[in-house]
Amino acid sequence: MGKNERIFFFIVFFALLTFVTLGWQGDLFPSDPIPVLIYSALLMISVSSLFLENYFTRPSDVIASGIAALIAIAPLRQELSLTGTLYDAYFAYVLINVALAFAALLLTNKDDADSAPGNVMARWMFQITTKLGSGKVVFLLLFLLAAVFYVETDSTSFLMLIFYAGLVITINPKRSIMFTEAGTAGIGNEIGEVIGVQSSSMFLVKLFKERVAARLFDVVEFRYSIGKDIILFKGIVVDHYLLNGKQWGVVFTDPELSNELGVDSSNQIERNNILYKCDVENPPKFLDKFVGFVAEGSKIESIYFEYHSRAQIEEGSLIAAKVRGSEVYYQVIQATTKIQKLESKDESGLIIGTASQLGQWNKEKLLFDKYGWLPTLGSHIYLPEDVKSAGPKPSESLVGYIPGTKFPVLLNRELAVTHHTAILGVTGTGKSVFSRYIIRSIIEQGTKVICVDFTGECSAKLSDLSPQVLIASSIFDRIKLNIDWLETELAKFSNQQNKSEITRRELEIIREFLGAIQNFLDSETSIGVFELPDLSNSVLGIRYTQLFFKAIFVMAKARPEGSPNICVVLEEAHTIVPEFNSMGVSDRASSALVNSIGQIALQGRKYGVGFVVIGQRTANISKTVLTQCNTIIAFQQFDKTSSEFLSNYVGSEYAETIRSLKPRTAVAIGKAFRSGAPLIFEVPELNDDGSPKPALPVLAASGAS
């Protein structure tokens, strides 16, 4: 019931009381003490019901009503002599209630816990006095005390007085629906009291024991006093928990939410700091993108947030926050459950998410610019709108999207080659198919690709590109003769070796390789395949491969400036450039191979030669080669060595995230990407040969795959 309604009802009841008094005394305002006492008692019942205690009774209300009643009857001891001992009993009753109310106020200490002995005793006294010492009870008893003894009980006047008293007592301002518009505050929608401010947008609420149902994300409104200002807020319930046997809640407010719901400053809210549930036809659209709010411990580069949302988010999801009026984007990389210790044995469960800053989105450059500050504590986190932006530049390929969005992830194909790229991940994550997609993208730019593949998959999966076998059988036969001789000679003691003949035969092998490589570069074919032929043992194979890479380096240095780039793809790199502790064959031969490839990795970019290294476990791939890769694309991996190695590139939090990545999802970082920060992205739907499926244009339109 609003203020205007209570005034209306008071006028109606006052008129009715005047009518009853006129019929009883024959005068509008009685002058005799007893009629004045009865009239005053009925009037105070009306005032208490409609104004003083229209929602609930406080100890201060008990004191005010009790003192008023005591002042009223104290001078009338003789006039009320017919009441006998009931006068003394009533006087003592009121006095005890006033004393208990005073004691409750004195014992209450807001700085102590609710479980403190003083507060426990105060609550007990409060419950007694507010039920037995309310204004309606005190003045009703006073009315009955006077009316029963001084008004003829069988008279019409007595019945009229009793009828009036009963009518006033039974009226319930909390439940009245007369003259109340749907959706406004009041109407019994009180659910709690605001007792604290956690931040500029978060309010702590103590929920009433008897109240309408209050659920998560219900819309509420309240009037809160800040200094001399009284501000009307609308918000949503984002949390509730049990503490010391009482229910508590957290209300979140935000200007965007208030604008959507509409805050009517003329709305008649009964009391400051009382929370009212709003009846809304449809949930606010604000909730569709609301994720939670910034939590304690957040930093510029990464934030923590409490998840309180209907929105479905997961690892890799893009979220945003307002920072000094700017929209800054973050990517979810981790989430943990947390138990919040409240008091005594009470606890509350939370989900705390971790999100790494990507920055502000630059629509012109299609990249994230780092932002040098963080959102305020308690500010809300939300799902951002999708972007509409131009496609990739001619030198770039669209390799995927940030999960669930249209934010593109673009790879500069030239930088991916010249500054070397590593594509890592265990079997079944989509690594091999994605690698073929990258190979196709590199070829589209006019780069010649040499695929070192000892499994035969490259020729089979890229057959539509008509890959050229680099080393014909006739060339291999000549090379094999020299390889066999070299290994026999190198097996001798150093002082027994024919050094000049070793050099001559190595140069002859290199010339054979150079001729084959040059033949490929001069051809129209875009991709050449270097396969490991049938050699008698692994040492011969390693020596064969080592001299091939030595030939590539010699050829690269001799190429004219401005020649097309060459990309060397190392399929199953752990078998080609193994880490020293996992070679398993002749360390001397393996070391020579790793050194030859490492020499190209270190200096090849100066001559337009680069690597794409594809492998499963970083632990088994030469770090000499991997550390030269300025672009890393990491699919799911589990081993500790991989996590430790990748943490140097993407940070420990992203490295930990790599363990739980879904198939076709990877972490990207490096020079070939526009973003300076690591990010999780989802690769397109691809055929087994790496070609885009027809659904790829749909991916670009919908932002999902």
Side-chain angles (χ1 to χ4, degrees), residues 66-128:
I67 291 176
L70 293 175
I71 292 174
I73 67 170
L76 301 178
R77 182 68 180 86
Q78 295 299 323
E79 286 79 355
L80 294 172
S81 58
L82 293 179
T83 61
T85 57
L86 289 179
Y87 175 93
D88 296 324
Y90 176 79
F91 198 96
Y93 173 85
V94 176
L95 192 60
I96 290 171
N97 275 298
V98 171
L100 287 175
F102 265 119
L105 291 176
L106 292 174
L107 289 173
T108 300
N109 190 342
K110 294 183 178 180
D111 295 330
D112 290 343
D114 284 352
S115 57
N119 286 336
V120 172
M121 182 64 70
R123 284 198 302 273
W124 177 77
M125 294 178 178
F126 172 79
Q127 292 173 358
I128 294 175

Side-chain angles (χ1 to χ4, degrees), residues 72 374 535 630:
L374 74 167
L535 294 169
N630 286 275

Side-chain angles (χ1 to χ4, degrees), residues 309-322:
S309 179
R310 295 173 176 170
Q312 299 297 312
I313 63 171
E314 57 187 15
E315 185 178 69
S317 293
L318 194 68
I319 58 178
K322 292 291 184 181

Side-chain angles (χ1 to χ4, degrees), residues 359-376:
Q360 290 182 280
W361 178 248
N362 189 317
K363 294 182 179 179
E364 287 71 30
K365 297 181 180 179
L366 297 185
L367 55 77
F368 291 101
D369 293 325
K370 277 290 188 177
Y371 194 85
W373 202 238
L374 74 167
T376 58

